[in-house]
């Protein structure tokens, strides 16, 4: 299982709509486990889990990044350093 955090920058005034839309995605490639609207350089943070990196990438590029109002995404992968 791989976990990623997708940091989303939205178009002006679209933050709530993007957050609500992403919350309702039923991904064919993984599981969206959390969606939070935040302050700072990003507007929405999405936590995703998938069976592998390919599935995670498809969930991001095919489902999250195509939501109307998403301007840019940055993905951070969770790693185990133990």
């Amino acid at each position: 299982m791989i976990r990623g955090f997708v940091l989303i920058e939205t178009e002006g005034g679209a933050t709530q709509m993007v957050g609500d839309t992403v919350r309702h995605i039923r991904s064919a490639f993984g599981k969206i486990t959390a969606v939070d609207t935040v302050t700072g350089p990003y507007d929405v943070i999405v936590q995703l889990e998938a069976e592998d990196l390919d599935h995670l990438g498809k969930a991001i590029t095919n489902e999250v990044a195509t939501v109307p109002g998403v301007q840019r995404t940055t993905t951070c992968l969770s790693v185990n350093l133990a």
Side-chain angles (χ1 to χ4, degrees):
M1 183 71 62
I2 189 165
R3 183 179 316 140
F5 296 87
V6 183
L7 313 174
I8 300 173
E9 293 177 50
T10 65
E11 295 173 359
T15 299
Q16 183 176 354
M17 179 191 66
V18 168
D20 290 344
T21 302
V22 172
R23 270 186 200 91
H24 291 96
I25 292 175
R26 297 297 169 246
S27 177
F29 303 105
K31 180 180 179 185
I32 295 174
T33 58
V35 177
D36 294 293
T37 53
V38 296
T39 61
Y42 301 101
D43 303 303
V44 179
I45 298 178
V46 179
Q47 183 177 341
L48 280 164
E49 293 180 350
E51 67 180 62
D52 58 36
L53 189 56
D54 289 336
H55 281 87
L56 186 72
K58 288 177 184 175
I60 295 165
T61 59
N62 295 346
E63 298 170 339
V64 174
T66 61
V67 168
V70 171
Q71 190 171 41
R72 182 177 303 122
T73 64
T74 301
T75 303
C76 300
L77 299 177
S78 177
V79 296
N80 182 356
L81 298 178

